[in-house]
């Protein structure tokens, strides 16, 4: 496995792989890898000939009050895990190379970026789309893998690739959870023991929604209300939003039918956690 820091070198490797007519799989990450990231890596490893994992803590997707400074940085450990999982290249660019002082361009996917998390994190998805577009141009993958854990992000990237005719296939990978249901996240390490226990309520609320829908309840409003009630029982938890939206356009639905995304963001102590499920009615 090679660790590549230069964009030029990364592109040269990619060109070489294409000349050999091998398929190139790509998993973009911000590092602090856990089993969620590894499931993307494993899937890519199985499905493609040459595997690139990028580790880049993207400054432009963090708001001024967000956790960019304290986000865990554990590159050596991440590189070890990538090697163990059979990655061919870890692409680890420097922030100054990705964003030189005269950097001026951004990619924004309208509407999809303004709803759900976008309402509370202005500029976030523009930062994500911009960095992923750059990474796609540098790495030129055939297939790129994204987690359902960040469903809105994955949907936005797929739309960007489609709208801008990027020759890359976007694949979604299911959310990996701990035994008690908490979705794995690099941010879970911020949780204090009591908060960690309370954090299971996110998935419990999603399961409650699934259960209510199965029983025939189609009122998004009623389901959201009952989810809120459940979450509010935990002292450390404060709901930021709970939304039930159409999976395609992320528009809110009143009556649940077809494929819906049930998504939420909850502050647990000082940590903002997100989770979601897709329900097909
Ligand atoms: P991040 O490093 O947080 O930017 O995440 C990199 C990729 O890993 C994204 O596509 C995420 O959706 C995905 N990911 C993060 N957590 C999980 C999880 N628990 N299960 C599956 N995929 C995940």
């Amino acid at each position: 496995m090679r660790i590549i820091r230069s964009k030029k070198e990364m592109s040269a490797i990619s060109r070489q792989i294409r000349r050999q007519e091998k398929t190139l799989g790509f998993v973009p990450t911000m590092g602090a890898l856990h089993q969620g990231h590894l499931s993307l890596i494993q899937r890519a490893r199985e499905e493609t000939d040459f595997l690139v994992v990028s580790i880049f803590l993207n400054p432009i997707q963090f708001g001024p009050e967000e956790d960019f400074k304290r986000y865990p940085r554990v590159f050596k450990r991440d590189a070890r895990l990538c090697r163990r999982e059979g990655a061919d290249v870890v692409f680890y660019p420097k922030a100054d190379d990705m964003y030189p002082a005269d950097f001026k361009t951004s990619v924004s996917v309208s509407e999809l970026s303004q709803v759900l998390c976008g309402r509370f994190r202005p500029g976030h998805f523009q930062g994500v789309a911009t960095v992923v577009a750059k990474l796609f141009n540098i790495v030129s993958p055939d297939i790129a893998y994204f987690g359902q854990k960040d469903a809105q992000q994955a949907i936005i990237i797929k739309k960007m690739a489609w709208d801008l005719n990027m020759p890359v296939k976007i694949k979604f990978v299911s959310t990996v959870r701990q035994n008690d249901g908490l979705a794995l996240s690099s941010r879970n390490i911020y949780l204090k023991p009591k908060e960690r226990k309370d954090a299971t309520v996110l998935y419990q609320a999603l399961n409650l929604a699934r259960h209510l829908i199965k029983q025939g309840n189609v009122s998004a409003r009623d389901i959201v209300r009952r989810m809120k009630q459940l979450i509010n029982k935990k002292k450390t938890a404060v709901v930021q939003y709970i939304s039930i939206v159409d999976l395609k356009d992320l528009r809110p639905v009143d009556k649940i039918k077809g494929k819906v995304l049930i998504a939420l963001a909850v502050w647990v102590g000082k940590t903002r956690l997100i989770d979601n499920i897709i329900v097909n009615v």
Side-chain angles (χ1 to χ4, degrees):
M1 186 188 83
R2 294 173 67 188
I3 294 169
I4 302 295
R5 301 217 72 174
S6 132
K7 294 176 285 186
K8 224 171 140 185
E9 216 176 319
M10 182 67 247
S11 294
I13 293 172
S14 173
R15 274 197 303 277
Q16 197 184 5
I17 296 306
R18 293 181 160 268
R19 271 200 301 273
Q20 296 169 6
E21 293 189 7
K22 291 181 177 166
T23 53
L24 198 155
F26 180 41
V27 179
T29 82
M30 299 203 297
L33 303 184
H34 49 64
Q35 192 54 48
H37 300 109
L38 299 189
S39 76
L40 271 62
I41 294 173
Q42 286 155 3
R43 173 92 179 273
R45 183 67 288 175
E46 280 165 21
E47 295 183 354
T48 57
D49 302 321
F50 192 87
L51 171 57
V52 178
V53 179
S54 67
I55 295 180
F56 180 62
L57 192 55
N58 178 34
I60 68 165
Q61 73 184 69
F62 287 81
E65 305 294 319
E66 294 183 354
D67 57 340
F68 178 69
K69 276 208 182 115
R70 71 166 179 156
Y71 201 90
R73 290 156 168 86
V74 284
F75 179 74
K76 275 195 183 150
R77 179 177 174 277
D78 290 341
R80 217 170 33 239
L81 288 171
C82 289
R83 176 170 293 129
R84 194 189 74 192
E85 297 300 335
D88 295 294
V89 165
V90 168
F91 180 46
Y92 181 45
K94 293 186 179 141
D96 293 351
D97 283 343
M98 290 293 273
Y99 303 113
D102 61 347
F103 188 81
K104 295 198 195 307
T105 305
S106 63
V107 179
S108 110
V109 180
S110 67
E111 292 175 26
L112 298 180
S113 300
Q114 267 82 56
V115 296
L116 305 176
C117 289
R119 272 176 59 208
F120 302 95
R121 303 188 72 187
H124 169 67
F125 289 113
Q126 187 166 320
V128 171
T130 303
V131 80
V132 174
K134 283 171 70 69
L135 290 168
F136 282 179
N137 284 333
I138 297 164
V139 176
S140 302
D142 294 292
I143 310 178
Y145 295 82
F146 291 84
Q148 192 201 313
K149 162 77 180 10
D150 302 277
Q152 185 177 13
Q153 163 176 289
I155 289 166
I156 286 170
I157 296 302
K158 199 175 166 98
K159 187 75 177 106
M160 170 189 80
W162 173 260
D163 283 352
L164 298 182
N165 310 95
M166 295 175 166
V168 54
K169 189 174 165 74
I170 307 297
K171 288 202 179 180
F172 297 175
V173 180
S174 315
T175 302
V176 178
R177 302 176 180 284
Q178 305 222 274
N179 287 337
D180 61 7
L182 179 67
L184 292 184
S185 161
S186 308
R187 291 187 166 102
N188 291 351
I189 58 158
Y190 301 153
L191 298 169
K192 298 187 178 129
K194 171 79 169 86
E195 295 167 354
R196 170 63 188 80
K197 272 194 193 143
D198 285 356
T200 55
V201 80
L202 276 80
Y203 192 51
Q204 284 162 13
L206 291 168
N207 276 325
L208 171 65
R210 191 180 350 240
H211 173 74
L212 292 170
I213 292 169
K214 247 195 197 145
Q215 285 191 326
N217 192 335
V218 292
S219 162
R221 222 174 114 157
D222 184 53
I223 290 167
V224 167
R225 186 178 56 81
R226 301 209 11 208
M227 291 171 76
K228 267 189 194 146
Q229 271 174 0
L230 181 71
I231 295 173
N232 287 340
K233 286 187 186 154
K234 303 287 179 191
K235 280 218 177 84
T236 65
V238 178
V239 173
Q240 185 177 62
Y241 76 82
I242 300 176
S243 297
I244 304 183
V245 298
D246 186 282
L247 187 61
K248 278 204 203 85
D249 57 17
L250 303 184
R251 291 220 179 118
V253 296
D254 292 333
K255 269 199 165 172
I256 296 169
K257 65 167 195 276
K259 266 193 179 175
V260 293
L261 175 72
I262 309 179
L264 46 76
V266 177
W267 285 97
V268 181
K270 287 188 177 137
T271 306
R272 183 180 176 277
L273 300 178
I274 59 170
D275 202 349
N276 68 80
I277 55 170
I278 293 167
V279 179
N280 196 356
V281 184

